[in-house]
Amino acid sequence: DEAIAGDIQLAVCSTSNEKAVRNLVHTLMGADRAKRFRIFAGDMVENKKPAPDVYNMAVDEMGLDKSRCVIVEDSGIGWGAAKAAGIACIVTKSSYTAQEDFTGANLILQIGRASCR
């Protein structure tokens, strides 16, 4: 909500197909929030994550400067795509990704604690 209020450009970049991503964003965030997000999906690019294609597409189409962007990722594959794109990345670890290597991430968040890298 703070990013939306601050008029920050927002996007969801996923390996899933565009229809599925749009549905998920709308369901989880509601119509008002969802309309503030650009969607970039796996069926819109030649190579899916861990290739950086989806992030590069978002940066290019939104006219962004990579040095002023931050990606929030939840998997090693996504972290690899962010790293390959050359964009700062915050990783949110879950029980599914607890054993994955996120070395080099700008920030790693776990429930109850954070660690800077």
Side-chain angles (χ1 to χ4, degrees):
D1 288 336
E2 289 179 33
I4 290 171
D7 206 30
I8 305 241
Q9 292 189 70
L10 301 168
V12 174
C13 299
S14 175
T15 57
S16 296
N17 69 65
E18 183 179 3
K19 183 178 178 182
V21 177
R22 285 192 187 285
N23 185 47
L24 184 63
V25 170
H26 187 272
T27 300
L28 293 176
M29 297 190 172
D32 289 338
R33 285 187 188 106
K35 68 183 177 186
R36 298 298 303 265
F37 285 81
R38 296 275 308 268
I39 304 296
F40 299 93
D43 59 349
M44 300 168 74
V45 294
E46 187 172 333
N47 302 296
K48 293 184 179 187
K49 298 175 189 178
D53 298 23
V54 73
Y55 290 129
N56 290 333
M57 174 186 263
V59 167
D60 291 345
E61 289 195 13
M62 294 175 75
L64 303 174
D65 174 352
K66 286 183 179 185
S67 71
R68 297 181 48 84
C69 296
V70 64
I71 293 169
V72 179
E73 262 301 345
D74 64 352
S75 72
I77 290 171
W79 155 234
K83 184 176 179 181
I87 301 174
C89 185
I90 297 170
V91 173
T92 58
K93 288 179 93 170
S94 71
S95 59
Y96 298 107
T97 61
Q99 302 306 313
E100 293 186 33
D101 181 11
F102 297 108
T103 301
N106 298 85
L107 181 68
I108 300 171
L109 300 174
Q110 292 180 309
I111 295 174
R113 66 178 202 230
S115 62
C116 293
R117 302 287 173 188

